[in-house]
């Protein structure tokens, strides 16, 4: 028990230290921040001054009473004005610093997400990342704008009031403070609970968001199988869990409020009782007692607030921890800049004894000692049943993952030794599921070369058989593609992706053919464009339809992660093996 206590304490110390690193983003704005702090000190001290002076107003007696009262009131009015100004300036400068700090954190997290390897994303769920990052950043923002200032103000008030109270009446001050440590201890316990529960609540909310996204994406499948009720029940289970955790959280907050109220009110009554005795014994004036109550109220409010602020800061620490998990994850690109260029390669590809298993499923060997030689400028088509490892091969070529053993050589050089950005800029990828980004058609074609001239873009579109349909659109190249390109047909999206590749002018091409989902007319256009694109470039084609790859210089049949057969269309047909069987099946289904 004692041991686990110690270790949990150590963890929280480490986590605090780690979290403070995030405040490093504030460093460039140190001076405005210090100005804000100074304003905070001024406004907090001013409120101490006003509260402690009120008693004096009551105690004034004798000649010129009215005049002295007026003078002091006027002075207090001046102090209030100063306090108001300082408060405004503090809020303004803190916001100035926070906005810039948060923007820097946002940018750092975004850039980090861009440079994380695909393997990292495999371990996460995308809905979870975005909702968590959003929630975490807003928690950090709250802590910077509000809670940090509150925390400092409350500390100043607490120490200031203790000092003034001790100076005015040590007996009464000690009597009042005898109960404070209890509060402090309660605050710490409460903070621990909330920290644990808020993390749990965040996870649960992320889980329900994930289900929502999944259902929205697959809404047609849900409907087709009349699985609405199943999904609804799943969602209900998740939202119930959120309620449960939220309510448990509320109970602890509520209990804490109960303690504070009972304790505070009890304390106030006993202090009034003891203070009245001291006045009766002439140890304290009425004015002193009045000031004492005012200051005690101020202090009690700040101590109570301190516990709350403390728990909010704990929450922010939880949030910074998960942001730091992202910021500390290992990157694949060390800098986000336009990639340097490598000399144009000839394009001879060799896969040597290539073995691979996915990091999250290490027991399954997806590729097993695969050997393959693709001469420069030739097309190698990979066929094989679903799950044979075709896509995996292309991922390794794109360096999304690292081989477990073996190598991939480009012109005799291990691609793992090349600068990642420079290497990838040699590649062109036309995926099965084309992703267009919101923006115009022009922007989407010029994705890899934003500065490309209009002539080049039009040429690329021409080569990709896309120019005609683009020019027929009312806004031509300036047509907005809509969210993820939903306003274009599948074949049109594919041809834009091909134009994108033509413009990028890559040395190596990876084509994940998806013409099977297209109608014959669009398929013909896409095929033609692809053939043009392949000319003179080393190409790896993941073939889904055998009819489209007859002309490939090399066809490789992949089975269980190994090369089962290799040859040209004719030679493989003659062999009468797996490929010949597949062709017969294909022809049968087309007949
Ligand atoms: P193909 O493209 O030939 O259909 P894949 O390369 O997609 O095959 O998949 C090969 C094998 O690797 C399959 O058994 C599949 O289940 C597995 N696999 C694919 N992607 C992953 C992944 N991200 N994590 C774990 N296993 C995967």
């Amino acid at each position: 028990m004692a041991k686990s206590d110690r270790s949990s304490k150590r963890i929280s110390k480490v986590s605090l230290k780690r979290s403070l690193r995030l405040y490093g983003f504030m460093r460039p704005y140190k001076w405005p921040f210090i100005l804000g702090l100074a304003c905070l000190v001024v406004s907090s001290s001013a409120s101490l001054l006003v509260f402690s002076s009120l008693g004096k107003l009551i105690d004034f007696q004798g000649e010129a009473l009215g005049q002295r009262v007026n003078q002091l009131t006027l002075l207090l009015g001046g102090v209030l004005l100063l306090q108001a100004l300082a408060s405004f300036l503090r809020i303004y400068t803190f916001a100035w610093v926070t906005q810039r700090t948060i923007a820097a954190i946002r940018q750092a997290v975004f850039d980090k997400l861009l440079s994380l390897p695909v393997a990292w994303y495999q371990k996460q769920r995308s809905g979870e990342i975005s909702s968590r990052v959003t929630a975490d950043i807003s928690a950090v923002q709250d802590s910077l704008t509000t809670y940090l200032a509150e925390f400092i103000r409350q500390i100043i008030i607490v120490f200031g009031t203790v000092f003034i109270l001790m100076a005015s009446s040590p007996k009464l001050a000690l009597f009042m403070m005898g109960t404070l440590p209890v509060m402090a201890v309660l605050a710490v316990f409460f903070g621990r609970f909330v920290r644990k529960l808020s993390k749990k609540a965040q996870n649960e909310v992320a889980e329900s968001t994930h289900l929502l996204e999944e259902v929205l994406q697959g809404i047609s499948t849900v409907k087709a199988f009349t699985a609405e009720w199943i999904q609804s029940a799943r969602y209900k289970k998740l939202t119930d869990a959120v309620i449960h955790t939220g309510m448990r959280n509320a109970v602890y907050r509520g209990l804490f409020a109960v303690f504070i109220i009972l304790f505070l009110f009890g304390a106030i009554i006993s202090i009034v009782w003891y203070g009245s005795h001291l006045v009766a014994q002439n140890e304290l004036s009425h004015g002193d007692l009045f000031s004492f109550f005012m200051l005690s109220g101020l202090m009690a409010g700040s101590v109570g607030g301190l516990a709350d602020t403390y728990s909010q800061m704990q929450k922010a620490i939880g949030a910074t921890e998960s942001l730091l998990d992202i910021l500390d994850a290992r990157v694949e690109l060390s800098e986000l800049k336009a990639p340097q260029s490598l000399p144009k390669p000839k394009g001879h590809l060799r896969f040597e004894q290539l073995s691979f298993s996915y990091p999250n499923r290490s027991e399954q060997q997806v590729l097993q000692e695969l050997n393959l030689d693709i001469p420069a400028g030739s097309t190698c088509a990979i066929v094989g049943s679903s799950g044979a490892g075709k896509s995996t091969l292309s991922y390794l070529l794109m360096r999304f993952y690292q081989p477990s053993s073996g190598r991939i050589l480009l012109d005799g050089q291990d691609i793992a030794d090349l600068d990642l950005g420079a290497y990838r800029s040699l590649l062109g990828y036309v995926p099965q599921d084309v992703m267009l980004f919101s923006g115009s058609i022009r922007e989407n074609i010029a994705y890899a070369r934003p500065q490309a001239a209009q002539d080049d873009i039009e040429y690329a579109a021409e080569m990709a058989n896309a120019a005609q349909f683009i020019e027929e659109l009312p806004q031509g190249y300036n047509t907005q593609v809509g969210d993820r390109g939903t306003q274009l047909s599948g074949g049109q999206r594919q041809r834009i992706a091909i134009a994108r590749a033509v413009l990028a002018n890559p040395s190596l091409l990876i084509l994940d053919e998806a013409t099977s989902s297209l109608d014959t007319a669009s398929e013909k256009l896409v095929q033609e464009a692809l053939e043009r694109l392949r000319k003179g470039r080393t190409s790896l084609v993941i073939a889904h339809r055998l009819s489209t790859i007859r002309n490939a210089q090399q066809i490789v049949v992949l089975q269980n992660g190994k090369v089962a057969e290799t040859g040209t269309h004719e030679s493989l047909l003659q062999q009468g093996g797996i490929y010949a069987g597949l062709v017969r099946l294909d022809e049968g289904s087309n007949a």
Side-chain angles (χ1 to χ4, degrees):
M1 186 70 206
K3 195 172 164 230
S4 80
D5 270 353
R6 236 180 295 136
S7 70
S8 73
K9 195 170 168 196
R10 215 178 315 134
I11 286 168
S12 77
K13 236 188 204 164
V14 170
S15 66
L16 181 67
K17 230 178 164 177
R18 213 171 153 224
S19 301
L20 287 179
R21 258 187 46 211
L22 218 51
Y23 287 81
F25 284 96
M26 217 180 336
R27 202 161 296 137
Y29 317 114
K30 190 169 66 192
W31 292 111
F33 184 68
I34 289 173
L35 175 67
L37 281 183
C39 291
L40 193 58
V41 172
V42 169
S43 67
S44 309
S45 311
S47 56
L48 283 176
L49 189 66
V50 171
F51 274 63
S52 59
S53 306
L54 288 177
K56 295 262 181 326
L57 277 180
I58 293 173
D59 278 347
F60 280 144
Q61 286 173 1
E63 289 169 30
L65 174 64
Q67 198 190 346
R68 287 171 69 189
V69 166
N70 287 346
Q71 271 173 356
L72 186 58
T73 310
L74 215 63
L75 195 70
L76 289 182
V79 173
L80 280 186
L81 206 65
L82 182 71
Q83 186 183 357
L85 251 172
S87 294
F88 178 84
L89 207 59
R90 189 268 293 170
I91 290 171
Y92 185 82
T93 47
F94 269 35
W96 195 91
V97 172
T98 307
Q99 290 299 338
R100 282 160 182 76
T101 307
I102 290 295
I105 294 176
R106 274 209 179 102
Q107 188 72 43
V109 170
F110 188 80
D111 287 355
K112 186 75 190 199
L113 286 172
L114 284 176
S115 48
L116 286 171
V118 175
W120 184 85
Y121 283 94
Q122 277 245 294
K123 295 190 206 122
Q124 325 280 330
R125 295 191 296 197
S126 58
E128 203 168 304
I129 302 176
S130 64
S131 72
R132 186 166 291 166
V133 165
T134 314
D136 287 346
I137 288 182
S138 91
V140 174
Q141 181 163 17
D142 287 347
S143 89
L144 284 180
T145 9
T146 317
Y147 298 117
L148 187 65
E150 274 298 292
F151 194 68
I152 296 170
R153 196 183 65 80
Q154 286 155 349
I155 296 271
I156 294 175
I157 298 274
V158 170
F159 279 99
T161 44
V162 167
F163 182 78
I164 299 170
L165 292 179
M166 284 298 285
S168 83
S169 170
K171 272 190 194 167
L172 193 54
L174 286 175
F175 180 82
M176 184 198 72
M177 284 171 346
T179 39
L180 265 188
V182 182
M183 270 221 181
V185 170
L186 279 176
V188 170
F189 273 111
F190 177 60
R192 264 191 212 162
F193 266 124
V194 165
R195 192 172 164 202
K196 244 195 269 163
L197 287 175
S198 75
K199 247 199 150 140
K200 193 165 173 231
Q202 272 178 29
N203 287 343
E204 285 171 355
V205 170
E207 200 135 325
S208 65
T209 312
H210 174 70
L211 180 63
L212 174 70
E213 283 174 3
E214 194 177 88
V215 166
L216 290 183
Q217 267 171 18
I219 189 70
S220 41
T221 310
V222 173
K223 287 189 176 300
F225 287 91
T226 52
E228 290 94 336
W229 64 278
I230 300 179
Q231 299 295 4
S232 171
R234 274 176 74 191
Y235 197 67
K236 179 153 188 343
K237 213 162 137 193
L238 293 177
T239 47
D240 283 350
V242 174
I243 295 179
H244 181 75
T245 311
M247 290 319 293
R248 245 182 66 163
N249 209 340
V251 167
Y252 285 115
R253 278 170 175 274
L255 278 180
F256 191 69
V258 168
F259 277 120
I260 296 247
I261 289 167
L262 288 181
F263 174 77
L264 261 186
F265 288 174
I268 288 171
I269 293 171
S270 56
I271 294 164
V272 174
W273 167 81
Y274 188 57
S276 306
H277 268 287
L278 289 178
V279 172
Q281 287 159 9
N282 272 336
E283 286 195 33
L284 216 58
S285 73
H286 279 101
D288 287 342
L289 187 62
F290 182 73
S291 282
F292 196 98
F293 287 150
M294 296 297 283
L295 285 168
S296 304
L298 190 64
M299 177 184 179
S302 292
V303 170
L306 208 53
D308 196 38
T309 316
Y310 179 75
S311 78
Q312 293 292 350
M313 301 285 274
Q314 292 259 31
K315 237 193 220 173
I317 287 175
T320 55
E321 267 176 38
S322 50
L323 286 178
L324 284 166
D325 281 344
I326 293 178
L327 287 174
D328 287 344
R330 275 184 52 182
V331 294
E332 59 170 8
L333 284 171
S334 54
E335 260 179 282
L336 293 184
K337 52 176 191 202
Q340 358 158 299
S341 53
L342 283 175
K344 203 168 172 59
K346 289 199 187 71
H348 176 205
L349 274 179
R350 251 182 95 79
F351 296 72
E352 263 183 17
Q353 298 289 96
L354 197 66
S355 296
F356 178 72
S357 27
Y358 280 96
N360 57 341
R361 216 188 283 165
S362 48
E363 69 286 353
Q364 185 198 1
Q365 278 250 312
V366 179
L367 298 177
Q368 299 177 41
E369 301 184 349
L370 179 132
N371 289 301
L372 202 58
D373 191 277
I374 310 176
S378 73
T379 294
C380 173
I382 312 278
V383 298
S385 55
S386 165
K390 303 184 293 289
S391 312
T392 306
L393 196 63
S394 71
Y395 298 155
L396 289 181
L397 187 57
M398 289 186 273
R399 285 177 65 187
F400 286 172
Y401 301 94
Q402 283 173 355
S404 320
S405 65
R407 337 182 266 171
I408 301 176
L409 304 171
L410 172 63
D411 294 343
Q413 200 175 6
D414 191 341
I415 59 169
D417 296 337
L418 301 174
D419 173 81
L420 184 62
Y423 171 70
R424 285 211 183 125
S425 64
L426 299 175
L427 299 177
Y429 176 50
V430 182
Q432 195 167 3
D433 190 13
V434 174
M435 169 80 198
L436 297 185
F437 293 90
S438 54
S440 64
I441 288 182
R442 179 204 314 280
E443 283 163 346
N444 269 289
I445 294 180
Y447 193 62
R449 269 181 56 196
Q451 311 299 347
Q454 179 65 15
D455 281 352
D456 293 340
I457 292 174
E458 282 176 17
Y459 174 76
E462 197 78 49
M463 297 300 285
N465 275 348
Q468 196 187 351
F469 90 79
I470 296 173
E471 277 152 20
E472 277 167 11
L473 291 167
Q475 260 120 30
Y477 286 87
N478 293 326
T479 308
Q480 297 293 314
V481 299
D483 193 18
R484 297 182 191 202
T486 40
Q487 288 164 22
L488 297 172
S489 78
Q492 291 172 335
R493 279 207 297 275
Q494 285 239 299
R495 280 176 278 157
I496 288 181
I498 293 171
R500 195 187 267 170
V502 172
L503 188 69
N505 192 17
S507 305
L508 302 176
L509 261 183
I510 297 162
L511 306 175
D512 197 346
E513 288 200 320
T515 44
S516 47
S517 60
L518 302 181
D519 58 87
T520 327
S522 338
E523 185 189 336
K524 198 160 160 278
L525 288 173
V526 170
Q527 277 310 331
E528 234 176 64
L530 283 176
E531 231 154 82
R532 232 177 265 147
L533 177 62
R534 283 207 299 261
K535 202 164 244 163
R537 301 177 216 269
T538 312
S539 315
L540 186 78
V541 180
I542 298 172
H544 297 272
R545 257 195 182 184
L546 302 180
S547 56
T548 59
I549 52 155
R550 286 201 176 152
N551 299 330
Q553 282 86 352
Q554 182 177 207
I555 296 173
V556 172
V557 181
L558 214 56
Q559 203 175 36
N560 300 326
K562 284 186 178 158
V563 174
E565 290 174 9
T566 171
T568 58
H569 175 70
E570 285 75 23
S571 74
L572 287 173
L573 273 189
Q574 267 180 6
Q575 262 182 44
I578 305 172
Y579 180 77
L582 287 173
V583 170
R584 239 176 288 125
L585 268 180
D586 211 32
E587 280 169 355
S589 69
N590 284 343

